[in-house]
Amino acid sequence: MTFIFLNIIIQNYNEAAMFINIEGIDGSGKTTLVNNLKNTFPDFYYTREPTDGFDYAGLVPLENEYNSILDFFLFTYDRIRHQKEIKENIKNIVISDRYIASSIAYEGPLIERFFSGIDETIQYLMDVSRPVKCMPDVIIYLDVKIDTALKRIINNRKVLKYRDEKLSVLEKKNVLGFVSTYYLYFLKNIKKFTGTDIRVEYIDANRPENMVLNDTIKIIEKLL
Ligand SMILES: Nc1ncnc2c1ncn2[C@@H]1O[C@H](COP(=O)(O)OP(=O)(O)O)[C@@H](O)[C@H]1O
Ligand SMILES: Cc1cn([C@H]2C[C@H](O)[C@@H](COP(=O)(O)OP(=O)(O)O)O2)c(=O)[nH]c1=O
């Protein structure tokens, strides 16, 4: 009996590893941070959204007034398929470059027009996200000034993503303003919207990448 009991404890312990999301607007430095983390914590499992199987062709141009509803469901469909990969690796520590908070932040502002405001919008998006069973234990948000992020994207010729090719820099700046508002509101009220105790950590990502990395390492080491 003891052996079975011990085995259950070990199993639960393994499943109780950690799922960390790295979030932030385009150009906040998520990909750079994740690449640096891979050198520091090579044994963690790294993933990202949109996943490699994402249906970019399904996205509709921004000018289509219903694009955000369709985009939200495309990203959520991608996330539901992503569950298997996360569950299979959760015995370890899983780090995802973007996850559910990205859908709230990017699709929320454009869907708000169907609702009375940000609260009702986010509540709706979380309701239709119920098939997403893996929720993060920790969200690390890279907080960056929009102008700083835009400069990084443009200077490094990081094409404004698929939906953004047609946007002027000013329009993209405007979009990222709404995205930041939704990100910060969602994260500030994370317990209300998710019903779970997700730990949120904010990192000043305006600073050089080594400082962002060091802060992140300190956060993760405290969690281990
Ligand atoms: N802390 C930083 N300071 C200055 N430049 C950075 C920093 N982090 C990333 N960059 C640069 O900014 C650009 C966007 O970074 P990236 O990691 O791709 O951002 P994201 O994945 O959040 O869109 C890259 O060219 C990268 O080299
Ligand atoms: C995961 C996700 C990403 N996105 C957007 C954010 C990015 O602008 C774009 C592509 O993400 P990504 O390839 O990660 O670009 P970035 O380097 O900016 O992080 O997809 C959503 O709109 N909703 C989502 O659910």
Side-chain angles (χ1 to χ4, degrees):
M1 181 60 90
T2 322
F3 173 75
I4 296 168
F5 182 64
L6 271 177
N7 200 13
I8 291 167
I9 291 181
I10 292 165
Q11 180 58 23
N12 288 339
Y13 175 76
N14 286 342
E15 280 164 3
M18 210 175 298
F19 181 27
I20 301 172
N21 297 170
I22 309 290
E23 292 285 356
I25 62 174
D26 312 43
S28 54
K30 298 180 304 306
T31 309
T32 302
L33 173 61
V34 168
N35 289 335
N36 290 334
L37 285 174
K38 287 174 181 173
N39 298 326
T40 315
F41 302 109
D43 297 339
F44 289 0
Y45 184 84
Y46 295 89
T47 184
R48 65 181 311 269
E49 289 189 355
T51 69
D52 295 342
F54 183 74
D55 171 22
Y56 283 91
L59 292 171
V60 294
L62 266 179
E63 51 272 22
N64 172 318
E65 62 174 329
Y66 299 109
N67 85 301
S68 51
I69 292 263
L70 179 58
D71 284 7
F72 177 80
F73 282 100
L74 281 172
F75 282 111
T76 302
Y77 171 62
D78 185 46
R79 184 160 305 122
I80 292 167
R81 292 189 320 162
H82 196 194
Q83 300 302 290
K84 187 167 175 292
E85 180 187 350
I86 295 165
K87 280 190 191 131
E88 280 168 356
N89 293 283
I90 201 67
K91 294 180 287 304
N92 196 331
I93 292 192
V94 176
I95 292 191
S96 185
D97 174 351
R98 288 194 183 285
Y99 195 67
I100 193 163
S102 284
S103 290
I104 302 297
Y106 281 84
E107 278 67 66
L110 293 168
I111 293 176
E112 185 177 314
R113 70 169 177 277
F114 297 109
F115 297 99
S116 60
I118 188 168
D119 277 291
E120 198 191 359
T121 305
I122 297 179
Q123 196 50 62
Y124 165 75
L125 297 180
M126 288 310 293
D127 288 347
V128 294
S129 296
R130 286 214 303 271
V132 175
K133 298 301 178 197
C134 294
M135 288 303 278
D137 300 291
V138 186
I139 295 177
I140 296 177
Y141 181 71
L142 302 189
D143 202 356
V144 68
K145 292 190 193 86
I146 294 169
D147 285 334
T148 305
L150 280 174
K151 270 195 214 100
R152 290 175 183 170
I153 298 172
I154 292 160
N155 292 349
N156 297 284
R157 282 181 302 286
K158 188 166 178 195
V159 176
L160 298 184
K161 291 292 175 197
Y162 53 92
R163 283 184 308 193
D164 299 343
E165 276 80 7
K166 297 200 186 85
L167 288 185
S168 69
V169 176
L170 195 60
E171 285 165 334
K172 180 69 179 177
K173 180 172 177 174
N174 197 24
V175 165
L176 291 180
F178 289 117
V179 170
S180 300
T181 303
Y182 261 73
Y183 251 136
L184 294 171
Y185 190 82
F186 177 62
L187 296 176
K188 184 163 161 270
N189 298 283
I190 196 90
K191 176 112 188 199
K192 175 172 83 168
F193 289 120
T194 64
T196 55
D197 266 327
I198 297 174
R199 183 180 175 140
V200 178
E201 297 282 352
Y202 300 88
I203 292 182
D204 175 356
N206 298 293
R207 298 170 301 153
E209 67 182 83
N210 65 311
M211 294 177 80
V212 173
L213 175 61
N214 291 340
D215 281 4
T216 308
I217 292 171
K218 280 189 203 129
I219 290 167
I220 293 176
E221 284 178 341
K222 272 197 211 134
L223 294 167
L224 291 181

